[in-house]
Amino acid sequence: MAGRNKLQPIDLTQPKYLQTLVENRRIFNLNNCELNVFESYQQAYRVPLTFSDFVITSMIRGKKIMHLFDEPAFDYLPGETVIVPAHETMLIDFPEASAATPSQCIALAVDAAYITNTLNYLNSFYNDKEELHEWKLQFNKYHFDNDNEVSGLINKLIRVCNGSDTSKNIYADLNLKELLIRLVQSQHLQQIKTEITHNGNQTRLQFVVHFIHENLTDKILINHLCRKAYLSRNHFFRWFKEQFGVTPLDYINQERIKLAKQLLAGQQKNITTISLLCGFADVNYFVRIFKKIEGITPGAYQGCLKSSGKYIN
């Protein structure tokens, strides 16, 4: 979707320095990670790619079709990220790549010991004492849209890796640790959503998230959520963000915008009506939040759906 949390453009390799037209690779190596920039300039299919470390990939330009985990193939577009475990082979199609329209993506390979140390840190210092769970990387959700934080951190890492600062390893370490933590927190949130569907509301986390989803179209008071969780307001905010990486209000808005996108796919409702149906009393606030999350206004989003023929009649 146009404008959606895309990474900042990286200059393409000059033609005279290209070693291959399919998955030409540039490498920037740091202490705990290796940044790879891949570019393809011609159509190709079922191209294998494997890393010996856990890898975070993110599209910058063009389109790929990914074959991964023996799951159905999926389009991979700018504004999206895929995480892949070590030694897992990706098979990649480049159906639209050409000299005029190359594909470009980054792949950030992260040292296994560094990941272990980061997860141990989370398990030691950021665990709910009443609802202990193991912080870990999971791959039941491996393809997702970038949010502002993830795209911002990846952009910083690209700049650091590509720079000449003698302290680059220090800056990379700080940004890489935050990126890993945000990915793990995001996966934890997805896990809680799945548990709600299958196991009901057995924990405080499940109960709060379930209550938010059941009341998205109504006014949700943070003080009411605090009471539901039996926590003070300050403790509730800190607890929620430690577990999921976002504030309660940001999470509520994110879920309301997801609902708004579904409603915008229909031609029957206008922006004001959709705003009210998604729990926003002020349409201007709705437009502002939608643009903050999606990068474009609700009207522009609806226009993109219409031009691509994805309206639901």
Side-chain angles (χ1 to χ4, degrees), residues 25 45 47 60 64-65 70 96 98 139 149 270 298 311:
R25 183 181 186 184
Y45 297 89
V47 177
I60 298 175
K64 295 181 179 182
I65 298 176
D70 295 323
E96 300 177 0
S98 69
F139 296 94
E149 287 77 16
N270 59 37
Y311 254 146

Side-chain angles (χ1 to χ4, degrees), residues 195-257:
E195 289 171 354
I196 290 170
T197 302
H198 294 94
N199 303 322
N201 301 319
Q202 298 182 4
T203 70
R204 180 164 54 187
L205 284 171
Q206 292 173 352
F207 183 83
V208 169
V209 173
H210 181 261
F211 181 86
I212 289 171
H213 281 263
E214 288 295 302
N215 294 275
L216 274 182
T217 59
D218 301 319
K219 187 175 183 179
I220 300 176
L221 298 175
I222 299 300
N223 286 339
H224 187 55
L225 291 178
C226 297
R227 289 194 294 271
K228 293 285 185 183
Y230 296 99
L231 295 171
S232 69
R233 186 179 178 91
N234 288 341
H235 190 183
F236 176 73
F237 267 82
R238 184 169 63 253
W239 168 75
F240 196 96
K241 190 164 186 179
E242 285 175 356
Q243 297 300 309
F244 300 137
V246 294
T247 68
L249 181 58
D250 285 343
Y251 179 66
I252 291 168
N253 283 336
Q254 287 172 12
E255 294 304 304
R256 284 174 167 167
I257 295 306

Side-chain angles (χ1 to χ4, degrees), residues 110 135 245:
V110 185
W135 289 104

Side-chain angles (χ1 to χ4, degrees), residues 142-153:
Y142 52 85
H143 174 216
F144 50 88
D145 296 325
N146 295 344
D147 60 24
N148 289 329
E149 287 77 16
V150 167
S151 58
L153 287 165

Side-chain angles (χ1 to χ4, degrees), residues 40 42-46 62-66 75-77 92-98 101 103:
S40 292
Q42 67 181 30
Q43 289 183 341
Y45 297 89
R46 310 290 288 191
K63 172 184 175 179
K64 295 181 179 182
I65 298 176
M66 300 286 285
D75 290 350
Y76 191 20
L77 302 168
I92 309 170
D93 301 338
F94 304 88
E96 300 177 0
S98 69
T101 58
S103 71

Side-chain angles (χ1 to χ4, degrees), residues 288-306:
R288 188 163 67 250
I289 294 299
F290 193 101
K291 187 172 183 180
K292 177 183 177 181
I293 293 175
E294 292 297 320
I296 55 177
T297 65
Y301 181 89
Q302 207 168 35
C304 291
L305 290 173
K306 186 175 182 179

